[in-house]
Amino acid sequence: MSPTAPTIVTRLADYRVPEFLIEKTQLTFELHEAHTDVSSQLTLVRNPQGSQAAHLELHGEQLELLTLAIDDRVLTSKDYRTTPQNLTIYNVPERFVLHCTTRIYPEKNTALEGLYRSSGMYCTQCEAEGFRKITYYLDRPDVMSEFETVIIADEGAFSTMLSNGNCVSDTVKDGKRIVHWHDPFKKPSYLFALVAGNLACLEDHFTTQSGRQVLLQIYTAAKDQDKCHFAMQSLKKAMRWDEQTYGREYDLDRFMIVAVDDFNMGAMENKGLNVFNTSCVLAHPASTTDAAFRRVEGVIGHEYFHNWSGNRVTCRDWFQLSLKEGLTVFRDSEFSADMNSRAVKRIEDANVIRSVQFVEDAGPMAHPVRPESYMEISNFYTVTIYEKGAEVVRMLANILGPTLYRQATDLYFSRFDGQAVTCDDFVQCMEEVSSKDLSQFRLWYSQAGTPHLQISDSYDAARQQYSLTIRQYTPATPGQTDKKALHIPFKIALYDNQAALPLVINGQNQGTETVLDICQDEQTIVFEQVTEPPIPSLLRGFSAPVKISYDYQLLQLQQLILLDNDGFCRWDAMQNLMRMVLSKTIDGANNHAEQAALIAVIKQLLTNHAMMDAALLACMLSLPNSPYLASLYEKADPVAISQARTQLQDQIAAELQTELLNCYQVLQDQTHGLTAPAMAARSLRNAALAYLLHIDEVRYRELAQQQFAQANNMTDQYAALCALVYAEHAEATAQEALAAFYQQWQHEALVVNMWFQVQATRPWGDVLQTVRKLLSHEAFDARNPNKLRAVIAAFASRNFAQFHDKSGQGYQFLAEQIADIDQRNPQMASRLLTPLTHWHQFTDAHAALMRAALESLTQRELSKDVYEVVSKSLH
Ligand code: B3K
Ligand code: ZN
């Protein structure tokens, strides 16, 4: 490691209450072309619960201190001390007003944290610790203050000047425009926001359940105004949904969303002023795919829901991040399930947990839903905190049932309104209303790693009893070797070859589906009055984020695929069957029986596709993804995995081309508009098209070419482009289509990103060379996170075959790029590094090359963000 390596670790166990509280925060921003001056007036009082320290220590980074005074007394250098991270003021009174002016340089801010500029506009990103790059402050979530913000700029410089809350005044004086905002709700500094720019605005209104009118505004660049209608509709749906589902009403007179081109994440829930990555708010059928429409709806919901789960009730410290993120992801996931296909949403969520979160859990960055330490908090905005955290809330909701869960969340929101609290406070509410003992359940917050359930069964014909034995164990994770048994809600059903059977346990009839509380290392459950050996339908609805293994027979899987009334289980049975075929191919074993079973069942589904949800069938047609397959091996061979997948796709296409083509043609008339059935038809039709392009025939190339040229929506146009680009035999046609696509869409940044992405994810040929070329393309911009994601992250995380090329060049390329990006934007650099941290999953040759790439980074001067990930990965 470089000698200057930063190693300061923050620990949950060291949490102390703040020494001071900030009753009022008054900020004035003077925006100048080359710099911004920030004057703050903080009303500070000593926290009676603190340890009565004599000094005040504030956070502050990269600030030029211009003036400092306490009440009317100007401070001299003897009164305080600054370090790169802090300002310490000696011997402060019990209660005082601190006046401070700092100068900052938003124009030079390439980390996109704090106040920065994006396409000329000013915007902020303060979570988690960006506010300290704006002014000296107690930049921690348990310090909640009432904010007033004044923004001053040259008259005419910006049409839009926004901050949190309500606009108090907007005046002009001496050639300056002065806009004054006030947010009546106390909030931590991470929820502060400021925007100034020349923006167009789409306006609408929402009447809350108690009859208050709320002004809704979405601000974007003028050229994007026609792409905000869907986001506006989604916002109104989300507001209504939260009233109906959680009884949560919006609290300010105004709700604003601003779209920004350069943004490290998807969006940010600042109070009353959400800031969004353009990719999560702009949508238009001509230029946006159905998947992206659904993402816009989900993210709009997510950020809106934070108004209660995050803003009104916030986190005591960053170890509690999942308190707001896990809960809010669960809320947005249910919102999306209610607005679209519930089964498909559940499958998508389960797939992310399985192929991304389980991989994180098995690697060097594994951490509990409530971590115990970090070097850089930005590295902990992870699938574990977000998605596993959401699964933990979902399990609680299922354990309590809908009525008690709602009572518990009502209690949580009313008891802790205006406070900064912990995950334990949340669980306590669940426990209080239900009188259930959740002490074992709490381990889900503190214990890292994925529990494995090994399931075996036996049937006793004489007694008509069916027994299931479930053994659970959780493998060790870094720093946690000793794992305890968890409380796992395990939903199951039993099928005969026609339908779900009535379940009788201990003489009690449970209906046809039941939740078993698995709490011990090993448990056996006996089902009575079972007249023949049944087929178990396990972990229904993905009722817990666990791995299961059960030795299914081929026929059993086929029956679940056709019969099961749980969408997740149907899909999972298909994934299982596909996995059996693929594993045998990878191991070089004979898999004729598995292949025949798979082809037969897909044939049956395709032939009768009109009988089922087309969107679900489309999900069921996709093979288990490569990262998931890799996670099933001790040491995975990425090349063999990719080849096996391609081979199986080729084979399905070859054997089922009649059915696939028929499905494609029959659905043609059902794909108009943005309705759920039309979207479902498009997804199935495009899944069929992707398979057909595995066949090297001119008629299929023409089919894709025709769809590409004639599509009146982006879903179909892009699906055809992908099908062409991914088929090696279609290279010439694909090149023409790529050129036409760029020609058509070069002025739409988000579509150009898709154009980058399809090229970076092509599974054949010398993609690394293509990727290097794209980096110097006129439309590429290394400072824009969306472009980095479209080229570099797409190649490293979504092009398994190419990234893992045995030469190791993909790994070296990623390391070089990270070293470069880290100079400008540490958060992005650190996120892009993730694929290299999985080296332990792969065969020795690959693992060595991946480690070498990580080691090459240790020769550089690294940010805290990248240092933490590299050092933990090599440990
Ligand atoms: N809360 C923000 C995340 C900000 C992360 C900054 N490093 C987005 C969200 O989860 O809603
Ligand atoms: Zn969030």
Side-chain angles (χ1 to χ4, degrees):
M1 287 293 155
S2 64
T4 55
T7 51
I8 300 161
V9 174
T10 306
R11 290 176 211 284
L12 171 57
D14 294 338
Y15 174 82
R16 298 290 175 274
V17 299
E19 289 294 328
F20 287 85
L21 303 173
I22 308 180
E23 281 182 356
K24 209 155 186 213
T25 301
Q26 286 160 290
L27 302 169
T28 303
F29 288 79
E30 286 176 54
L31 307 178
H32 301 282
E33 203 38 48
H35 67 265
T36 293
D37 288 339
V38 184
S39 311
S40 75
Q41 219 176 287
L42 310 179
T43 307
L44 284 136
V45 306
R46 186 176 288 283
N47 181 0
Q49 270 131 46
S51 70
Q52 311 305 307
H55 311 321
L56 168 69
E57 189 173 275
L58 298 172
H59 302 110
E61 286 175 21
Q62 299 162 30
L63 302 173
E64 251 176 61
L65 180 59
L66 300 183
T67 66
L68 190 62
I70 280 189
D71 300 324
D72 294 331
R73 184 169 67 91
V74 174
L75 301 189
T76 70
S77 59
K78 284 204 261 357
D79 300 318
Y80 67 88
R81 179 177 71 118
T82 57
T83 67
Q85 272 88 38
N86 297 103
L87 164 66
T88 306
I89 306 175
Y90 306 124
N91 299 313
V92 295
E94 295 295 289
R95 180 185 184 92
F96 57 98
V97 177
L98 181 72
H99 302 261
C100 174
T101 310
T102 47
R103 177 162 292 177
I104 52 178
Y105 298 88
E107 191 65 43
K108 294 188 194 154
N109 180 347
T110 55
L112 314 186
E113 194 193 26
L115 179 66
Y116 65 94
R117 295 191 80 166
S118 171
S119 312
M121 76 191 275
Y122 285 83
C123 60
T124 51
Q125 172 54 38
C126 294
E127 186 176 0
E129 298 182 334
F131 193 75
R132 62 188 65 185
K133 294 181 167 179
I134 293 176
T135 187
Y136 287 107
Y137 204 76
L138 288 170
D139 190 14
R140 44 187 287 171
D142 56 354
V143 173
M144 298 177 81
S145 179
E146 186 185 329
F147 279 68
E148 263 187 63
T149 307
V150 175
I151 314 169
I152 305 176
D154 284 340
E155 185 186 354
F158 306 109
S159 65
T160 305
M161 290 159 71
L162 311 173
S163 191
N164 316 83
N166 302 313
C167 185
V168 178
S169 64
D170 187 343
T171 54
V172 173
K173 196 178 162 197
D174 302 334
K176 296 281 184 187
R177 179 166 169 212
I178 305 164
V179 186
H180 188 155
W181 292 84
H182 173 232
D183 180 358
F185 293 95
K186 282 183 151 213
K187 66 167 174 290
S189 50
Y190 84 84
L191 291 172
F192 170 80
L194 178 149
V195 167
N198 288 308
L199 302 171
C201 179
L202 175 72
E203 286 196 357
D204 206 330
H205 288 90
F206 179 82
T207 308
T208 69
Q209 60 185 7
S210 72
R212 282 187 315 102
Q213 275 258 313
V214 181
L215 171 64
L216 310 178
Q217 297 180 307
I218 303 183
Y219 290 91
T220 60
K223 74 170 187 54
D224 292 327
Q225 252 214 305
D226 61 331
K227 305 188 192 80
C228 296
H229 297 281
F230 182 79
M232 186 63 90
Q233 292 315 311
S234 304
L235 174 60
K236 292 200 276 183
K237 285 184 195 172
M239 294 176 89
R240 194 60 78 210
W241 186 89
D242 212 16
E243 291 184 343
Q244 289 167 349
T245 318
Y246 281 83
R248 299 293 112 202
E249 187 171 325
Y250 188 62
D251 48 12
L252 287 161
D253 302 335
R254 182 167 175 164
F255 186 81
M256 299 172 277
I257 290 175
V258 179
V260 175
D261 281 328
D262 303 281
F263 206 69
N264 283 345
M265 305 272 291
M268 177 64 213
E269 70 263 26
N270 318 297
K271 183 77 188 186
L273 177 54
N274 287 359
V275 175
F276 269 64
N277 188 322
T278 43
S279 70
C280 294
V281 60
L282 303 182
H284 187 283
S287 56
T288 308
T289 62
D290 294 341
F293 267 100
R294 287 206 304 274
R295 178 158 162 76
V296 167
E297 185 180 75
V299 180
I300 291 271
H302 180 96
E303 305 309 332
Y304 174 73
F305 301 144
H306 267 313
N307 189 54
W308 275 97
S309 49
N311 302 2
R312 288 287 286 259
V313 181
T314 195
C315 303
R316 185 192 74 173
D317 54 73
W318 292 119
F319 298 102
Q320 319 296 330
L321 181 58
S322 196
L323 173 74
K324 75 175 177 83
E325 294 306 346
L327 175 55
T328 306
V329 171
F330 173 60
R331 277 149 59 66
D332 86 53
S333 169
E334 284 297 290
F335 168 61
S336 294
D338 284 344
M339 299 298 125
N340 307 285
S341 159
R342 179 162 282 271
V344 169
K345 178 63 181 155
R346 197 67 200 121
I347 290 166
E348 286 168 355
D349 288 352
N351 204 22
V352 168
I353 291 279
R354 227 145 62 169
S355 55
V356 191
Q357 200 278 325
F358 287 178
V359 173
E360 181 164 278
D361 253 352
M365 290 297 289
H367 54 276
V369 167
R370 182 186 53 227
E372 253 138 44
S373 68
Y374 57 76
M375 288 184 207
E376 171 51 62
I377 185 58
S378 299
N379 285 330
F380 285 78
Y381 286 75
T382 59
V383 276
T384 300
I385 302 292
Y386 275 67
E387 277 76 18
K388 183 176 178 181
E391 294 302 320
V392 171
V393 177
R394 180 182 296 277
M395 288 189 284
L396 283 170
N398 287 336
I399 290 171
L400 266 66
T403 311
L404 288 176
Y405 174 71
R406 172 64 195 275
Q407 276 175 29
T409 57
D410 283 353
L411 175 65
Y412 170 73
F413 289 124
S414 68
R415 177 180 289 174
F416 299 117
D417 191 6
Q419 295 183 45
V421 301
T422 64
C423 297
D424 224 42
D425 291 322
F426 180 74
V427 180
Q428 173 73 29
C429 291
M430 303 283 144
E431 215 158 32
E432 263 180 56
V433 302
S434 67
S435 308
K436 286 188 197 265
D437 177 2
L438 298 173
S439 42
Q440 186 184 12
F441 187 87
R442 281 185 164 83
L443 283 172
W444 281 106
Y445 285 95
S446 56
Q447 186 165 290
T450 307
H452 294 209
L453 303 190
Q454 269 174 346
I455 301 164
S456 54
D457 58 356
S458 62
Y459 180 68
D460 183 336
R463 291 202 167 92
Q464 299 206 328
Q465 283 184 345
Y466 175 71
S467 306
L468 266 184
T469 297
I470 303 179
R471 283 184 207 90
Q472 64 160 303
Y473 75 98
T474 304
T477 53
Q480 272 191 352
T481 42
D482 196 19
K483 304 285 185 182
K484 300 199 176 72
L486 291 163
H487 175 181
I488 298 167
F490 191 71
K491 195 187 276 188
I492 80 153
L494 300 178
Y495 277 82
D496 64 12
N497 55 16
Q498 270 157 24
L501 303 168
L503 304 175
V504 181
I505 303 173
N506 291 328
Q508 305 277 320
N509 200 321
Q510 319 263 338
T512 53
E513 181 180 79
T514 193
V515 180
L516 306 173
D517 285 305
I518 304 302
C519 297
Q520 292 152 29
D521 291 324
E522 182 172 331
Q523 251 164 285
T524 297
I525 296 94
V526 180
F527 297 88
E528 296 143 14
Q529 300 168 36
V530 185
T531 53
E532 57 183 302
I535 308 166
S537 166
L538 303 168
L539 199 69
R540 289 168 72 77
F542 196 59
S543 66
V546 299
K547 290 187 186 175
I548 53 172
S549 48
Y550 171 80
D551 212 1
Y552 276 112
Q553 308 292 310
L554 294 179
L555 197 62
Q556 293 182 316
L557 287 175
Q558 281 178 314
Q559 286 187 330
L560 289 176
I561 289 167
L562 297 172
L563 278 182
D564 203 319
N565 63 3
D566 183 289
F568 163 78
C569 283
R570 269 186 108 167
W571 170 81
D572 193 36
M574 181 70 101
Q575 291 274 298
N576 253 318
L577 187 50
M578 290 169 161
R579 184 180 49 80
M580 284 182 178
V581 177
L582 291 165
S583 309
K584 289 209 166 169
T585 310
I586 292 164
D587 301 341
N590 177 323
N591 60 5
H592 294 322
E594 290 80 3
Q595 273 181 26
L598 177 65
I599 300 284
V601 77
I602 299 181
K603 184 172 187 159
Q604 212 169 331
L605 290 175
L606 285 173
T607 312
N608 302 311
H609 68 84
M611 311 285 287
M612 72 179 285
D613 175 3
L616 174 61
L617 179 52
C619 289
M620 290 174 72
L621 290 179
S622 38
L623 301 189
N625 62 40
S626 302
Y628 168 67
L629 290 168
S631 76
L632 302 173
Y633 290 84
E634 193 68 22
K635 290 184 175 187
D637 176 351
V639 179
I641 288 175
S642 303
Q643 282 171 353
R645 285 183 90 252
T646 311
Q647 196 183 317
L648 181 54
Q649 283 161 335
D650 290 350
Q651 198 194 348
I652 292 172
E655 295 200 26
L656 298 173
Q657 60 178 305
T658 314
E659 291 76 11
L660 289 163
L661 185 58
N662 183 262
C663 190
Y664 180 86
Q665 284 164 341
V666 170
L667 288 169
Q668 181 148 24
D669 300 337
Q670 299 169 32
T671 59
H672 301 293
L674 265 182
T675 63
M679 287 198 215
R682 277 196 287 275
S683 65
L684 180 52
R685 198 161 172 259
N686 287 323
L689 181 69
Y691 270 112
L692 290 170
L693 266 284
H694 277 262
I695 301 166
D696 182 356
E697 278 186 28
V698 92
R699 61 179 169 144
Y700 297 126
R701 291 193 282 276
E702 282 173 1
L703 204 61
Q705 198 177 22
Q706 202 179 15
Q707 175 170 323
F708 175 80
Q710 292 171 1
N712 62 2
N713 64 80
M714 183 51 77
T715 307
D716 286 342
Q717 191 182 14
Y718 191 61
L721 180 66
C722 291
L724 287 169
V725 171
Y726 295 163
E728 196 165 355
H729 61 82
E731 186 175 9
T733 322
Q735 286 308 329
E736 280 171 29
L738 279 169
F741 193 78
Y742 185 73
Q743 183 65 28
Q744 184 182 356
W745 294 111
Q746 57 188 309
H747 302 300
E748 292 291 346
L750 296 174
V751 186
V752 171
N753 292 347
M754 293 161 60
W755 181 80
F756 280 132
Q757 201 174 295
V758 61
Q759 297 178 76
T761 53
R762 188 185 71 205
W764 58 269
D766 189 348
V767 182
L768 187 53
Q769 194 192 16
T770 307
V771 165
R772 286 190 192 278
K773 263 202 222 144
L774 294 177
L775 294 182
S776 45
H777 189 272
E778 57 171 6
F780 187 78
D781 174 1
R783 286 162 312 175
N784 176 265
N786 289 350
K787 296 276 183 288
L788 296 176
R789 282 184 274 262
V791 179
I792 298 169
F795 173 71
S797 310
R798 300 184 39 206
N799 195 340
F800 201 78
Q802 295 282 323
F803 176 62
H804 290 285
D805 181 82
K806 65 179 187 329
S807 66
Q809 284 179 22
Y811 309 147
Q812 276 305 330
F813 165 77
L814 184 60
E816 283 160 29
Q817 292 300 316
I818 284 164
D820 177 48
I821 295 162
D822 195 33
Q823 314 280 315
R824 297 185 294 275
N825 188 334
Q827 283 181 19
M828 279 306 295
S830 179
R831 287 199 156 247
L832 291 172
L833 190 51
T834 308
L836 282 177
T837 67
H838 301 151
W839 62 266
H840 54 90
Q841 281 197 310
F842 299 101
T843 53
D844 294 346
H846 285 276
L849 291 165
M850 292 171 90
R851 279 187 68 99
L854 283 167
E855 270 154 11
S856 73
L857 283 169
T858 63
Q859 307 306 313
R860 314 265 189 154
E861 192 79 28
L862 300 176
S863 66
K864 198 156 63 147
D865 308 57
V866 172
Y867 174 82
E868 177 170 33
V869 178
V870 170
S871 60
K872 287 183 174 170
S873 301
L874 287 173
H875 190 65

